[in-house]
Every structure is written in structure tokens, then in C-alpha cells.
Amino acid sequence: MEPELGLELAAEELTAVLNRLRRAQGQIAGVVRMIEEGRDCEEVITQLAAASRALDRAGFAIIANGLQHCLAEENGARPQTQERTRARLEKLFLSLA
């Protein structure tokens, strides 16, 4: 059975990720308002890009923490298990690329 890639973040890391996600949530709400108000396209795209970067950073923080957790757990695991976990983590990283 493959190990779970559960979300186990330390309190400090969890706070940082949640702050990034809340910031992105606010930026997306702002983008919606800007579009509804007929704001300039360049302003909308700038805010949308900022929200995208915030989401990417949150995702990378979660994956990096998962990688650290998995490596610590699998230090003594069989090579096949380590390879499957590595492949799963690589797929997660690429999903954000």
C-alpha cells in the first residue's frame, strides 16, 4: 500500500499557507469587482497575475512540506516505494507549472 501524501503542516507553515490563500481569495474578489466595474484590462490582468502567483506559492509550499514529510518517513522504505512517491510528488509539482 502506498503512503498517503496527507496535508500535515506545522502550525507556522499552515498559517503562512492560509494567509497566502486568503490574499489570493481577496485578489480574485477584487478582479471580479474590477471586471464588473469595467476597469482597464491592464489593471485586471495585473491583479489576476498577482492572484495566480499567490496560489502557486501556496501550492508549492504545500508540496515542499509534503516532500519533506515523505522523505523523512521513507528514509528506510523500499526503493520501489520511494520511486512511486517521488513520481507522485513530481506530478504534483508539474500540475502547478
Side-chain angles (χ1 to χ4, degrees):
M1 183 160 91
E2 290 187 33
E4 290 293 320
L5 293 177
L7 186 58
E8 297 180 18
L9 299 175
E12 183 178 312
E13 294 162 336
L14 180 62
T15 299
V17 168
L18 289 173
N19 286 340
R20 286 186 194 279
L21 291 173
R22 286 185 184 107
R23 187 175 313 122
Q25 186 177 33
Q27 289 168 323
I28 291 169
V31 168
V32 169
R33 259 190 323 277
M34 291 170 78
I35 291 171
E36 290 173 343
E37 294 169 358
R39 299 276 293 272
D40 180 65
C41 178
E42 189 173 343
E43 293 176 18
V44 171
I45 296 300
T46 299
Q47 286 304 308
L48 196 55
S52 179
R53 282 190 303 276
L55 290 172
D56 287 345
R57 285 177 174 249
F60 285 131
I62 290 168
I63 293 171
N65 184 270
L67 177 60
Q68 183 179 19
H69 179 74
C70 286
L71 289 176
E73 276 188 358
E74 295 204 3
N75 198 17
R78 295 186 326 226
Q80 298 92 346
T81 303
Q82 290 175 346
E83 179 58 26
R84 280 195 301 270
T85 300
R86 187 209 55 78
R88 290 169 65 204
L89 287 166
E90 182 179 331
K91 185 176 178 180
L92 287 173
F93 269 114
L94 291 174
S95 73
L96 292 174

